[in-house]
Amino acid sequence: MRVDAEDVKYFHVVAEAKTLVRASQELGVDYTTVSRRIGRLEKALGTRLFSRSGTGWKLTPTGEGLLPAARMVSLGVDVFADGDPIVSTPEEWTILAPDGFAAAVLAPRCGRLIAESGVILRIVTADSLASRDGVSFDAAVVRTKPTSTRVKVQELVAYEIGLYATQDYLHTHPTIGQIEDLQQHVLCWYPEDPLAAVPDFAALRPMLPNIIRLQSNNLLVHEEAALAGVGIAVMPTYIARRRPSLVRVLPEDVTYTGRYWTALPAAQLRWEITRKVLQFLRDAVVDAGLAPCPEEQPRRANQK
C-alpha cells in the first residue's frame, strides 16, 4: 500500500499534540478521522508509530525516527494546499537543553537571532534525551554522552563545577577550611534518587555532606537557594559568575570538569537548519566565556 502525504501530516500533528483531541482541534476534523488516518498509515508501513494510553499517544522508536521526515512532508502539504509556490514560512528550531544551560547561555543570546532571521526558536528544558517526553528536536545539549545509535553526537564544550555561597552566609555560619567542614552546612544538590540524579557529577558526591538537606533536579533552584543564604550550592562556574554576591568555596579541593554534548537525530533531514543551530550553539558558548570543542560538520545521509 502506498503512503498518503496527508496521512503523514496527520502523524506529524498527533506527534506534536500528543492527544487525539488536541490533534483533531488543530486539524479541524473529528478525532475518529485522526485515528483512522493514523491507523491507515501504520498499516501501510507495517509498524506501530504510537503507543496509546489514557493520557495520550507517545511515539514509538520507529515513530521518533520518522518524525523529522514527517515534519518536512507536513510543511510541503501545507504549501501545496495553499497553492502559492512563493509562500515562505519562518524556520522553526527546537533545541533541548538542561535548565541551567538554557537559562544562562541560550536565552540571553537568542535576541539577535530572532530579530534578524525571523526564526521561531523553541528552547525545551530536559535533563536528558530520555526525559524529553517525545518532543522532536533539531539539536539537544546533554551532560552525558548518549550511546544510542538514533543520535549523532558531538562534544560541544567543557565547563567547571564548584561550590558557591554568599559572603553573608559564610560570615554567619561555621568556618569552612577543609572538606570535612562541609558536614556542618546545608548543601544544595541533586536528588539522591538515582533516576533523577546527574551521573556526570558522581565524582563530587564523596566530598559532600553525608546528608544533603536541599535536593532539586533544577539547577536554578540551587542558585536561588544560595543567593537567599539557604546554604551552599553546587554550580557550574559560568552560571555562578553571573552573580557577584556568590563566592567560591574550597576552590582547590572541590572541583569537577563536566562536558556538554550535542546530539542530533540520526534521521535528521533538515541539515541546513542543523548547521545553523550548531553554529548558534557554538557562538553562544563562546559569548558566555566557554571554549567550544573543535567544530565538526554534520554529514548528510548520502555522504560517507
Side-chain angles (χ1 to χ4, degrees):
M1 183 183 295
R2 297 179 62 183
V3 171
D4 187 286
E6 191 71 17
D7 291 347
V8 175
K9 176 181 176 179
Y10 275 59
F11 161 68
H12 174 248
V13 173
V14 174
E16 296 291 339
K18 296 185 177 59
T19 70
L20 282 187
V21 173
R22 285 199 291 267
S24 64
Q25 291 171 345
E26 182 174 338
L27 291 163
V29 298
D30 187 86
Y31 75 90
T32 57
T33 300
V34 180
S35 179
R36 177 175 55 81
R37 288 275 197 168
I38 298 300
R40 186 168 70 177
L41 179 60
E42 290 181 328
K43 184 178 180 180
L45 296 173
T47 186
R48 284 278 191 177
L49 300 174
F50 295 96
S51 58
R52 284 80 160 168
S53 72
T55 58
W57 286 29
K58 185 175 181 180
L59 287 168
T60 63
T62 299
E64 289 182 10
L66 291 173
L67 188 56
R71 180 163 46 186
M72 299 296 289
V73 172
S74 180
L75 176 60
V77 168
D78 289 341
V79 170
F80 273 87
D82 290 339
D84 186 352
I86 65 172
V87 169
S88 177
T89 57
E91 288 183 359
E92 298 184 11
W93 299 5
T94 299
I95 301 175
L96 305 184
D99 48 28
F101 186 91
V105 175
L106 299 185
R109 295 167 178 86
C110 67
R112 182 176 176 181
L113 168 73
I114 293 172
E116 295 184 359
S117 67
V119 162
I120 297 174
L121 180 62
R122 298 189 185 97
I123 300 175
V124 180
T125 57
D127 292 331
S128 67
L129 292 179
S131 64
R132 73 188 188 279
D133 193 26
V135 176
S136 60
F137 60 94
D138 293 295
V141 178
V142 293
R143 287 181 294 236
T144 303
K145 184 178 181 180
T147 57
S148 172
T149 57
R150 299 207 302 269
V151 295
K152 299 178 183 294
V153 180
Q154 298 179 14
E155 188 174 351
L156 177 63
V157 70
Y159 63 98
E160 186 182 7
I161 301 169
L163 303 183
Y164 288 88
T166 62
Q167 286 284 10
D168 288 343
Y169 175 87
L170 296 174
H171 288 159
T172 55
H173 290 77
T175 301
I176 304 174
Q178 55 188 352
I179 290 178
E180 289 73 15
D181 296 332
L182 294 174
Q183 298 290 345
Q184 305 176 63
H185 292 265
V186 172
L187 204 90
C188 310
W189 182 246
Y190 286 84
E192 301 286 50
D193 180 354
L195 296 179
V198 181
D200 284 355
F201 299 173
L204 280 174
R205 185 60 183 94
M207 307 179 192
L208 306 179
N210 296 330
I211 299 175
I212 306 299
R213 304 285 295 281
L214 177 60
Q215 302 178 16
S216 174
N217 64 346
N218 190 316
L219 182 61
L220 301 182
V221 171
H222 304 180
E223 179 184 27
E224 291 299 326
L227 290 169
V230 174
I232 302 170
V234 183
M235 297 171 57
T237 56
Y238 74 85
I239 292 180
R241 65 178 174 232
R242 302 178 307 154
R243 309 295 190 181
S245 60
L246 293 178
V247 297
R248 186 84 177 261
V249 177
L250 299 177
E252 300 297 326
D253 300 307
V254 182
T255 184
Y256 175 79
T257 298
R259 282 175 170 76
Y260 288 122
W261 304 82
T262 55
L264 314 174
Q268 180 65 277
L269 298 181
R270 292 152 42 98
W271 288 115
E272 180 59 23
I273 288 180
T274 298
R275 183 191 64 77
K276 296 177 184 177
V277 172
L278 290 177
Q279 189 60 54
F280 167 63
L281 291 174
R282 293 176 63 82
D283 290 344
V285 298
V286 170
D287 192 57
L290 299 169
C293 298
E295 183 175 4
E296 294 181 20
Q297 293 295 335
R299 295 186 175 206
R300 296 179 185 270
N302 62 353
Q303 287 183 334
K304 297 183 180 180

